[in-house]
Amino acid sequence: AAHQGAVGMGDQVIILGSGCIGLMTMLACKACGATDITVVDMAQKRLDYAMKLGATRVINAKDKDVLKEVAAFTNGAGIPKVFETAGSNSAGAEKLYGIVKDFAGNVQEKTVFDLYCGTGTIGQIMAKEARIESVFRYRNLYAKAIAAVANGLDIATVATHEFAFDDIQAAFEAAINDKENVVKAVIKL
């Protein structure tokens, strides 16, 4: 998503969602040169993890109005590059309109479907001349991803829990039932 969104040196981005996909998007944005990275989620422990991995700031959407927070630290300008990685309506269309910078903003979507809910959403996004793209998994960037890891991109930090193969049931139960603490569970073979 960072590659497709043309994230570059000094860019300001916001990532909606701090699960595994959101944190990997954050690391990819950092690797591409983004220097101002905001991460939004409703799980404080995951936001704490985003800070540990290098986010500039985090916003807990459970406690704060995301649009007001973004308006405050951007002086109302918005953020040019928005990555929706949560895949939920609570992070979707209604938030994007207020966050996306006026004219020439880019919106990268893990899932574009949320954008089509709500009234007037498409017209609002057109008025801001936002470019919306969807990303499905890795988009044939394996070679670049492998090179980034080989050159120091530490993806292991996103794996918060490890389980032996014999404990596979416990791994799945933890991933399903403890979403606030388990960002990515790895099963060792």
Side-chain angles (χ1 to χ4, degrees):
H3 174 74
Q4 193 168 337
V7 173
M9 189 64 67
D11 277 351
Q12 180 182 39
V13 303
I14 188 166
I15 299 162
L16 306 177
S18 62
C20 184
I21 294 170
L23 293 176
M24 291 304 295
T25 300
M26 183 190 81
L27 291 174
C29 287
K30 282 182 66 173
C32 290
T35 54
D36 188 316
I37 301 172
T38 303
V39 179
V40 178
D41 204 300
M42 295 174 67
Q44 188 58 50
K45 287 184 181 178
R46 286 187 175 211
L47 291 171
D48 294 342
Y49 204 62
M51 286 299 293
K52 177 180 165 188
L53 293 176
T56 308
R57 74 187 62 76
V58 295
I59 302 170
N60 189 325
K62 192 186 294 183
D63 302 329
K64 297 190 177 178
D65 182 319
V66 176
L67 301 181
K68 285 181 183 175
E69 293 290 316
V70 170
F73 71 79
T74 64
N75 295 320
I79 297 177
K81 300 198 180 202
V82 180
F83 295 85
E84 195 293 306
T85 68
S88 70
N89 286 341
S90 62
E94 69 280 359
K95 300 260 190 305
L96 291 177
Y97 176 73
I99 293 171
V100 174
K101 188 173 190 166
D102 281 328
F103 308 111
N106 296 308
V107 179
Q108 291 296 318
E109 282 289 291
K110 180 180 77 100
T111 171
V112 80
F113 301 112
D114 289 340
L115 286 174
Y116 297 103
C117 59
T119 340
T121 304
I122 297 301
Q124 292 172 327
I125 289 172
M126 287 173 55
K128 287 198 175 200
E129 296 183 3
R131 189 182 79 211
I132 301 169
E133 296 183 42
S134 64
V135 177
F136 184 70
R137 295 196 178 118
Y138 311 108
R139 198 175 175 266
N140 303 316
L141 292 172
Y142 296 108
K144 285 185 179 192
I146 291 167
V149 171
N151 285 299
L153 180 62
D154 187 6
I155 60 171
T157 56
V158 175
T160 56
H161 293 71
E162 289 185 8
F163 294 87
F165 185 73
D166 291 341
D167 297 326
I168 196 166
Q169 183 65 35
F172 279 102
E173 287 175 10
I176 292 168
N177 298 322
D178 192 12
K179 292 181 192 285
E180 186 161 323
N181 292 305
V182 180
V183 176
K184 186 70 169 179
V186 175
I187 299 168
K188 295 175 105 180
L189 298 175

